[in-house]
Each structure stands twice: as structure tokens, then as C-alpha cells.
Amino acid sequence: MIPHQHGCSQIGDDKNITFDVLAGTGQNPNVGAAIIVSLGCEVIRLMAN
């Protein structure tokens, strides 16, 4: 086993792309609601406006 400090989350550009895709999908006017299920160890935090 090779441990690393990032758990099961994404880092760097991968994290930014995932955030942009989730935020963009939620902002689409054709989306009435969204449920996002996570493993609980992701580094993307909810930013409510």
C-alpha cells in the first residue's frame, strides 16, 4: 500500500475542473434541482450565495 495525504479527493486542476463542471451544471436554467452525493472526503466545499 502507498499512502498519500490527499485521501480520496482530487487535487489541483482536477479539483478545479470538477468544481467548474458541478457549478456550471447547477447554474444551467434547464436544471430545476440537483442532488450531489459524495464520499465525505472531497476537498470541494459548498459555497452558497
Side-chain angles (χ1 to χ4, degrees), residues 9-24 43-45 47:
S9 64
Q10 297 173 321
I11 59 172
D13 290 338
D14 290 339
K15 178 187 75 156
N16 295 334
I17 291 170
T18 299
F19 179 81
D20 290 343
V21 167
L22 291 173
V43 294
I44 296 176
R45 301 287 182 238
M47 297 184 332

Side-chain angles (χ1 to χ4, degrees), residues 23-33:
T25 300
Q27 292 174 350
N28 185 312
N30 294 319
V31 174

